[in-house]
Amino acid sequence: MIQAASHDAPSSHDHAPPPATFTVRVLRQDAPDQPSYWEKHTIVRENDMNVISVLQRMAAQAETADGNPVTPVAWDCNCLEEVCGACTMLINGRTRQACSALVDKLLVDNPEGIELRPMSKFPVLRDLMVSRARLFRALQKAKAWIPVDGYYDLGSGPKQSPADQEVAYPLSECMSCGCCLEACPQYTKIELTKRDGETDAEFKARETSAYDGAFIGAHAISQVMLFNTHPTGKMNAGERLDALTAEGGIQVCGNAQNCVAVCPKHIPLTTSIARAGRATTLHSLKKFFDL
Amino acid sequence: MEAQSGSFFARNEFLIRRLHSLTGLVPVGAFMCVHLITNSSTLGGAEMFQKNVDLIHSLGPALPAVEWAFIFLPLIFHAVVGVWIIRSGESNYFTYNYVSNFRWWMQRVTAWIALFFILYHVFHMHGWFHTEWWLKNVANENTGGHLFKPEHATSSAAIALASPFKKLLYVVGVTACVFHLANGLWTLGITWGIWTSPAAQRRANYLCAAFGVGLLAVGLGSIVGVSKTNVAEAEAFENAQLETKAAAAKRAAELLKKESAKAVTPTATATKK
Ligand code: HEM
Ligand code: SF4
Ligand code: SF4
Ligand code: FES
């Protein structure tokens, strides 16, 4: 890869030897409506550590740098190879995956240690775990799938041209990690708390409607372009464009282009945004003039 | 949050944002280009600038309607929606210090500067409203408003901008407006899907930058042109032109009187018959 990737590859130029131990500062929070607090841990450096293995050591030690016993820090992860997006958090202030954040590389950039925080645009469930429900709700709102379920075999669909495949493949790599949303200046946090006497269903409905009224996000815009490029998906293109012109749709984007800069999958999000900008405008004109 | 979702604004957010983008280009952006080009003709001297101003003011009584319909109202719409847009986002430039993120932020900073500068500038030169009461009590020499006099275009502009502080203010204001338009032009191309691929966006970026540098030269040229004005000479020219015009008007009125007198006589004789 020629790209100066923000992750991987320990620095090739030789610096001072890595420290024997290093400090990890974690922003913890016991439960959604609790205050957050900083905690310091000292970790013995080993070869080839990533932030997930750091969190595992912290759990095994179960004590802070001052020797106070503490519960393990909660975090999410699945694939451990940067394809599921579950381990996304703020590492030294920036949004990225913990599994692909290599400790030696982090210590070269910042010898003082490592700082871990939960993503700032999503409600914290506990410690480094957040609820990305709004991200998934956006995919639902945008109908980011191809409806082929039915009672009989529909046969094979139309062929996709190689040119369209070239466009679609990179977009299909999205792992719903939320980095693009975390870095977006137009995507602001929504966190509701359950009211007294409100049922779970009522709360969920209120939350969904709040999510639907706010910015849908770059990931969903790009998924609309993915499914609207697909020969079968195209058949529902209008519905997806409707979602992008509803409240909180593509119009909220202010072209800061942070999304494309932070996307770990290098998805051409701003190209999708521009294409969707054109498609939504044409779609609205068509609807207005009933073409 | 959910109380809003049924509001007029929420339901028409897409349309409003598209109109905001469009008004930034036409008429507001287009007007700004014409305005700065006209003003830079002060570099060509009092006669040239006066001729351009006279051309605009030849619209006469229609001018206020044109001003309001094509300049003030679209600008007010763009500004009001713009302030709402600014409040809807939160800069994170210090965490993600990318160039385009800086420009996103500057688009908002220059929007605020443009807002206050334009409010001041229109009061300073134009006075905001041209009703008798307003000009007598609010926008006058004492308050520093309505200082531009179309029939004394060059000299009155030079007097209004005499202080170095005002000149500095205008340099900052014009620079901010030009950046806002040039950068806005680039984002507009993405908003409407004119340049989509990274390569196309990069090329468009060069064009918008060249446009911005050009327009900035024209805008700052206007301020230089006004600053270089010799007020006494400009006034002398303007007075001479006004006298020639007045004399011509007088002659025309006399001719008209004679003509109508001639036209009346045959009818008078006809009634006698
Ligand atoms: C000199 C007068 C002005 C001109 C020529 C102008 C022009 C433009 C243009 C061409 C755009 C690009 C639209 C797009 O990205 O689609 C824009 C965007 C913007 N303008 Fe203005 N504008 C002016 C004054 C103002 C004022 C006074 C405000 C508010 C205080 C304002 C707020 C904004 C904002 C917030 C944006 C960004 C919109 C977005 O990112 O979607 N503008 N302007
Ligand atoms: S578009 Fe990129 S940054 Fe956004 S959710 Fe998908 S993979 Fe993550
Ligand atoms: S380009 Fe749009 S979606 Fe991407 S970070 Fe900027 S404002 Fe957000
Ligand atoms: S664990 Fe799947 S991306 Fe990190």
Side-chain angles (χ1 to χ4, degrees):
Chain A
M1 258 212 174
I2 314 162
Q3 218 140 11
S6 52
H7 28 95
D8 347 308
S11 182
S12 54
H13 32 96
D14 285 320
H15 281 264
T21 62
F22 59 93
T23 314
V24 182
R25 271 163 42 85
V26 198
L27 188 64
R28 300 197 61 173
Q29 184 173 332
D30 297 343
D33 44 5
Q34 295 293 306
S36 56
Y37 56 95
W38 286 101
E39 204 173 83
K40 242 191 210 171
H41 293 252
T42 306
I43 303 293
V44 177
R45 195 200 75 89
E46 295 159 41
N47 284 333
D48 303 327
M49 281 182 121
N50 62 13
V51 169
I52 297 289
S53 52
V54 170
L55 287 162
Q56 286 169 336
R57 295 296 177 281
M58 278 162 59
Q61 280 173 205
E63 62 173 39
T64 64
D66 317 328
N68 294 328
V70 285
T71 53
V73 173
W75 82 93
D76 251 340
C77 72
N78 274 306
C79 68
L80 299 180
E81 53 176 356
E82 204 186 76
V83 290
C84 77
C87 65
T88 309
M89 58 184 72
L90 302 184
I91 300 171
N92 290 343
R94 290 197 171 223
T95 180
R96 59 185 299 184
Q97 280 67 50
C99 65
S100 56
L102 303 179
V103 166
D104 286 346
K105 175 82 172 44
L106 290 171
L107 290 178
V108 168
D109 295 344
N110 190 19
E112 277 111 80
I114 299 173
E115 183 199 275
L116 304 179
R117 277 188 287 151
M119 294 172 92
S120 68
K121 301 289 175 77
F122 300 102
V124 173
L125 297 175
R126 180 174 178 153
D127 297 335
L128 301 173
M129 284 176 75
V130 296
S131 160
R132 287 177 298 154
R134 178 173 163 200
L135 180 158
F136 297 109
R137 171 62 199 167
L139 296 175
Q140 211 174 17
K141 187 182 170 190
K143 298 194 163 68
W145 58 78
I146 295 172
V148 288
D149 288 348
Y151 295 105
Y152 58 93
D153 183 1
L154 294 170
S156 57
K159 279 231 166 67
Q160 184 167 38
S161 73
D164 281 351
Q165 288 169 8
E166 293 281 342
V167 173
Y169 183 71
L171 306 188
S172 75
E173 287 186 280
C174 175
M175 56 179 173
S176 307
C177 66
C179 283
C180 53
L181 311 176
E182 176 67 28
C184 172
Q186 296 287 149
Y187 198 90
T188 47
K189 183 174 186 173
I190 294 180
E191 182 165 23
L192 302 183
T193 38
K194 212 166 137 181
R195 292 178 184 145
D196 285 339
E198 199 173 32
T199 66
D200 281 350
E202 281 164 353
F203 176 61
K204 184 93 194 130
R206 191 160 61 87
E207 198 177 51
T208 304
S209 111
Y211 289 163
D212 285 354
F215 188 29
I216 194 164
H219 72 304
I221 296 170
S222 194
Q223 289 302 296
V224 166
M225 294 329 283
L226 169 64
F227 290 107
N228 283 7
T229 305
H230 190 279
T232 309
K234 249 183 206 148
M235 296 170 189
N236 304 81
E239 292 172 32
R240 299 191 194 93
L241 295 176
D242 281 341
L244 291 192
T245 55
E247 189 189 5
I250 187 173
Q251 67 275 8
V252 182
C253 166
N255 296 309
Q257 305 211 329
N258 289 354
C259 50
V260 77
V262 298
C263 175
K265 293 291 166 189
H266 306 294
I267 295 174
L269 292 167
T270 46
T271 303
S272 288
I273 289 169
R275 287 174 63 214
R278 184 192 299 179
T280 46
T281 305
L282 292 176
H283 177 66
S284 304
L285 288 172
K286 270 188 196 155
K287 267 175 73 173
F288 186 79
F289 292 108
D290 213 1
L291 297 174
Chain B
M1 207 63 228
E2 83 270 30
Q4 266 195 354
S5 62
S7 74
F8 174 83
F9 208 89
R11 275 182 286 120
N12 295 289
E13 194 183 36
F14 183 77
L15 178 65
I16 292 169
R17 288 292 294 258
R18 282 292 184 270
L19 287 177
H20 176 259
S21 174
L22 186 67
T23 51
L25 180 67
V26 277
V28 178
F31 164 75
M32 195 174 92
C33 295
V34 172
H35 185 58
L36 292 180
I37 291 169
T38 308
N39 294 351
S40 68
S41 67
T42 47
L43 284 169
E47 186 171 354
M48 195 170 178
F49 184 50
Q50 187 66 50
K51 219 163 95 192
N52 286 326
V53 172
D54 287 346
L55 186 70
I56 292 165
H57 285 260
S58 65
L59 285 170
L63 189 58
V66 171
E67 273 175 353
W68 278 92
F70 293 103
I71 308 169
F72 295 156
L73 289 179
L75 179 61
I76 290 168
F77 171 81
H78 184 88
V80 169
V81 176
V83 168
W84 171 78
I85 293 170
I86 293 173
R87 292 166 48 101
S88 76
E90 244 172 71
S91 177
N92 55 13
Y93 176 67
F94 293 104
T95 311
Y96 301 102
N97 51 352
Y98 309 118
V99 176
S100 49
N101 198 19
F102 181 68
R103 289 166 54 167
W104 177 92
W105 187 36
M106 287 325 274
Q107 185 71 5
R108 278 128 186 93
V109 171
T110 55
W112 280 123
I113 298 175
L115 180 65
F116 291 110
F117 172 67
I118 294 168
L119 275 175
Y120 172 72
H121 166 60
V122 177
F123 181 78
H124 181 214
M125 292 295 190
H126 173 283
W128 290 354
F129 305 105
H130 284 166
T131 64
E132 212 173 299
W133 181 89
W134 182 265
L135 292 181
K136 199 166 145 236
N137 296 295
V138 187
N140 53 41
E141 308 280 327
N142 298 334
T143 57
H146 186 232
L147 296 185
F148 181 73
K149 305 287 182 276
E151 66 282 4
H152 287 284
T154 320
S155 62
S156 64
I159 294 168
L161 278 185
S163 104
F165 173 72
K166 294 255 164 79
K167 282 191 193 105
L168 181 70
L169 195 78
Y170 271 63
V171 167
V172 172
V174 168
T175 308
C177 289
V178 169
F179 175 89
H180 189 84
L181 176 59
N183 189 54
L185 207 60
W186 182 69
T187 58
L188 182 139
I190 306 170
T191 302
W192 295 83
I194 301 165
W195 26 86
T196 57
S197 72
Q201 289 180 7
R202 195 168 354 96
R203 289 192 289 263
N205 204 4
Y206 295 136
L207 288 181
C208 292
F211 165 76
V213 170
L215 192 61
L216 185 65
V218 171
L220 297 182
S222 312
I223 300 172
V224 171
V226 170
S227 307
K228 275 178 35 187
T229 300
N230 179 329
V231 175
E233 269 175 29
E235 248 169 2
F237 162 76
E238 288 153 7
N239 286 334
Q241 201 196 32
L242 283 176
E243 269 164 35
T244 331
K245 262 194 197 157
K250 211 167 143 198
R251 221 173 312 125
E254 274 166 14
L255 272 175
L256 210 69
K257 224 188 203 166
K258 266 191 214 151
E259 283 296 313
S260 53
K262 256 191 228 157
V264 166
T265 353
T267 5
T269 34
T271 28
K272 253 187 194 169
K273 260 190 188 173

